[in-house]
Amino acid sequence: KKDGIFTMIGRNLNGEIFLRPRARNVKKEFVNKVDWVPHLHPFLNNLEPGTVLLAELYLPRNEQAKSSSSIMNSLQPKAVKKQEKEEDKLIFYVFDILADAGESYLNMKAIDRFLRVEDYGKKYNFPYVEWAKYYNGKELWDNLQTYLAEGREGMVITYENAKYEPGKRSAKISLKI
């Protein structure tokens, strides 16, 4: 788990890249903020059209949601300027996949989606993109203890048979620790 901004990223069926935050603007619209992170365009342009990933957008040197928000809530030219230095560039932390090459994964079990995320991580090795690691059983609990001892953000534990439900964050299927 990273402390940043939830984003939906990918390429639509027409091949256009997008980055959509969770929140709508004052006009109740989702704004495509892909131009706020031009250093991530090479990654997005390499995805197959019809691919949708879920990611946390975070700043490694200051992993707090407000750090990422201060960049992404700026006007586009200012957001780009704030990321001029290498250490100030936002990172995609990809943790789920909702569609691949036009095939919807919304009805797929979490465990199967997560395996595909791991496959994507092997296929798409790009700067500024990190891929979630998935654990279960004893390995999960051992790594959780290590993460907390190191002062890291923690983990999200998800019921392996859970299907993705847009707009919902039910404690019955996932739990942030």
Side-chain angles (χ1 to χ4, degrees), residues 36-106:
W36 277 244
V37 288
H39 61 284
L40 294 163
H41 289 191
F43 164 69
L44 292 167
N45 282 318
N46 272 283
L47 297 174
E48 292 289 328
T51 298
V52 179
L53 304 170
L54 298 182
E56 200 73 13
L57 196 57
Y58 81 100
L59 188 60
R61 67 172 176 77
N62 190 359
E63 194 182 320
Q64 294 181 348
K66 65 182 179 181
S67 301
S68 304
S69 295
S70 75
I71 294 171
M72 294 305 289
N73 290 337
S74 300
L75 294 175
Q76 187 270 340
K78 189 171 184 178
V80 172
K81 186 163 181 57
K82 287 181 176 185
Q83 297 176 84
E84 284 178 339
K85 294 180 185 171
E86 194 66 25
E87 66 269 14
D88 293 333
K89 293 187 184 310
L90 291 170
I91 303 289
F92 279 148
Y93 179 75
V94 181
F95 61 86
D96 206 345
I97 182 168
L98 302 184
D100 182 19
E103 181 184 349
S104 173
Y105 288 177
L106 290 177

Side-chain angles (χ1 to χ4, degrees), residues 16-177:
E16 300 160 328
I17 60 175
F18 64 87
L19 182 156
R20 195 200 91 187
R22 184 185 311 271
R24 298 173 192 254
N25 66 11
V26 293
K27 295 178 184 177
K28 306 279 189 224
E29 303 166 326
F30 290 110
V31 176
N32 184 357
K33 292 201 165 192
V34 75
D35 290 331
W36 277 244
V37 288
H39 61 284
L40 294 163
H41 289 191
F43 164 69
L44 292 167
N45 282 318
N46 272 283
L47 297 174
E48 292 289 328
T51 298
V52 179
L53 304 170
L54 298 182
E56 200 73 13
L57 196 57
Y58 81 100
L59 188 60
R61 67 172 176 77
N62 190 359
E63 194 182 320
Q64 294 181 348
K66 65 182 179 181
S67 301
S68 304
S69 295
S70 75
I71 294 171
M72 294 305 289
N73 290 337
S74 300
L75 294 175
Q76 187 270 340
K78 189 171 184 178
V80 172
K81 186 163 181 57
K82 287 181 176 185
Q83 297 176 84
E84 284 178 339
K85 294 180 185 171
E86 194 66 25
E87 66 269 14
D88 293 333
K89 293 187 184 310
L90 291 170
I91 303 289
F92 279 148
Y93 179 75
V94 181
F95 61 86
D96 206 345
I97 182 168
L98 302 184
D100 182 19
E103 181 184 349
S104 173
Y105 288 177
L106 290 177
N107 289 317
M108 188 179 284
K109 295 176 184 178
I111 187 71
D112 296 326
R113 293 193 321 272
F114 298 161
L115 289 171
R116 284 177 169 76
V117 168
E118 289 179 351
D119 290 343
Y120 255 68
K122 294 172 190 166
K123 182 178 175 182
Y124 294 100
N125 183 16
F126 279 82
Y128 317 112
V129 179
E130 296 177 1
W131 299 89
K133 292 182 175 69
Y134 297 95
Y135 310 105
N136 55 43
K138 182 173 177 0
E139 185 182 31
L140 182 146
W141 297 109
D142 291 346
N143 280 291
L144 177 60
Q145 295 295 328
T146 301
Y147 287 10
L148 295 176
E150 292 172 351
R152 293 168 71 178
E153 183 67 20
M155 287 185 175
V156 175
I157 298 175
T158 303
Y159 178 60
E160 67 181 18
N161 292 324
K163 294 185 175 139
Y164 185 79
E165 297 180 8
K168 295 184 181 179
R169 293 184 266 174
S170 173
K172 292 179 182 177
I173 63 169
S174 69
L175 183 63
K176 291 181 183 179
I177 306 242

